[in-house]
Amino acid sequence: MTPADLSLTVQHAVRRAVDDGALRVDVPPRVKVERARPGGTGEYASSVALSLARPAGRTPLDVAEILRERLRESPGILAVDITGPGFLNFTLRADAGGDLVRAIRDAGFAYGHGTALAGTVVRFAEVPQGRASVVTEVVLRLLRSQGADASFGGDERIPVRGGEYRPDLLGVDAGRWALLRAASHDRVLDGASLLVQHERNPLFRVRYAHARVKRLLVNALQLGFTPSYDADVHAPELLGVLGDHPAVLLAAARHRAPDRVARHLEATADALLAFQHTVLPLGDEKPSAAHRSRLALAEAAGTVLAGGLSLLGISAPDQI
């Protein structure tokens, strides 16, 4: 992990804290990291918690702890320590990308599922057909993915702005995305725009990115190689969003907010589509360890996209 990668990772942690409601600040356009000074720990340090403390109305130590919680499982970071008035100190790890790719491959669609909400009991009221029904169904799935005991048979309701579920007009996938991509208090998306196969259509981008991974795997096999993470890959944006996936699923479950999953899938698709052009050899170039590793990373991204869509009840076709 380079200093630029680390800076981006810390910025992502700030953005997650803001999205979670843990911090009320503007996300800085850049986070400065530098070599740890005497008295610090690890290789790098950042004073971002000190600069965010006043606008957040919190102490630097509070802000540092909020960010540390969101950085502990980040790819590339072995440990995060807080020193002095609120400096974040980072100990980096070798082959973090490989660890992440292997974790996704081992877990499959269950990557990001966990037990953070084990012991939590949630009982939802039965709701009529419509947007509330679709949102509640997905929230149940998200809660269970995090270990909660969630089912119908209680009084809890998810307040949602009205919206019809019309799969007869839009199809199941576009109909569900229209209801789930908007936050529950917002108006549902224009369903007609989700039927257009164009990059401006976020559902198309997510599903197309998954289909591109399937095509890359086929093309690589024709060239005589398969995915295997054997060399570090410089892809901070893609590694960052894949590393964020477990935290996003947990936050979506806690806040009853499937739209967070949909937004994260869009970010994952955009990072993958920007990365895909580096995967296969060009011209007379021979497949190398770098190509195998990039293919493994792309495959992991495809798994995350398919798993996230599955949680939303949306299909991930192999071809578009």
Side-chain angles (χ1 to χ4, degrees):
M1 176 177 279
T2 67
D5 297 341
L6 180 58
S7 172
L8 194 60
T9 299
V10 179
Q11 184 191 49
H12 284 167
V14 176
R15 182 174 292 112
R16 289 203 307 276
V18 171
D19 289 344
D20 292 347
L23 290 177
R24 296 181 180 276
V25 295
D26 292 331
V27 179
R30 181 177 177 275
V31 173
K32 182 180 180 181
V33 297
E34 57 186 1
R35 283 286 181 182
R37 298 178 181 179
T41 61
E43 294 93 357
Y44 291 96
S46 174
S47 60
V48 63
L50 282 74
S51 64
L52 294 178
R54 177 169 293 185
R58 311 286 289 267
T59 69
L61 287 174
D62 285 343
V63 175
E65 185 57 44
I66 288 170
L67 296 180
R68 179 166 68 168
E69 289 180 9
R70 289 156 177 79
L71 285 163
R72 280 176 172 158
E73 302 302 322
S74 297
I77 298 178
L78 180 63
V80 184
D81 297 298
I82 301 172
T83 60
F87 290 101
L88 289 167
N89 289 254
F90 305 98
T91 301
L92 304 184
R93 59 190 304 168
D95 193 29
D99 289 345
L100 177 61
V101 168
R102 284 186 284 274
I104 295 172
R105 172 172 283 185
D106 290 344
F109 286 4
Y111 171 67
H113 296 203
T115 58
L117 299 184
T120 301
V121 178
V122 183
R123 296 289 182 262
F124 288 104
E126 296 283 353
V127 291
Q129 290 296 317
R131 186 183 185 191
S133 175
V134 175
V135 171
T136 303
E137 170 211 323
V138 175
V139 169
L140 277 170
R141 205 174 288 140
L142 287 167
L143 286 165
R144 291 166 181 164
S145 79
Q146 303 305 310
D149 176 4
S151 65
F152 289 106
D155 298 322
E156 181 171 336
R157 294 177 182 271
I158 301 173
V160 297
R161 193 166 179 173
E164 290 189 58
Y165 178 41
R166 297 296 304 274
D168 54 323
L169 295 179
L170 300 176
V172 172
D173 293 329
R176 293 179 72 87
W177 186 272
L179 299 178
L180 296 168
R181 172 57 178 83
S184 59
H185 56 273
D186 290 335
R187 189 185 304 275
V188 299
L189 299 185
D190 172 26
S193 65
L194 299 175
L195 299 177
V196 180
Q197 295 197 10
H198 192 279
E199 62 183 11
R200 289 193 299 271
N201 174 355
L203 175 59
F204 171 75
R205 288 203 313 276
V206 171
R207 301 171 85 209
Y208 174 70
H210 174 265
R212 281 297 302 146
V213 170
K214 295 298 185 181
R215 175 45 53 184
L216 287 171
L217 290 167
V218 170
N219 291 345
L221 191 60
Q222 292 172 344
L223 293 173
F225 72 101
T226 55
S228 177
Y229 202 98
D230 302 320
D232 285 339
V233 176
H234 180 73
E237 286 284 355
L238 186 53
L239 286 167
V241 292
L242 295 182
D244 289 348
H245 188 66
V248 170
L249 294 188
L250 178 57
R254 279 177 168 159
H255 295 279
R256 318 296 197 252
D259 58 289
R260 296 184 181 219
V261 178
R263 292 199 305 271
H264 181 68
L265 293 179
E266 289 178 19
T268 303
D270 291 343
L272 174 60
L273 291 173
F275 171 77
Q276 61 162 330
H277 306 291
T278 70
V279 173
L280 299 179
L282 298 176
D284 295 332
E285 190 179 10
K286 299 297 183 184
S288 66
H291 295 110
R292 292 194 299 273
S293 298
R294 293 172 196 150
L295 183 62
L297 179 55
E299 182 185 44
T303 298
V304 168
L305 290 172
L309 287 171
S310 176
L311 283 171
L312 299 180
I314 296 173
S315 68
D318 290 352
Q319 294 182 349
I320 290 186

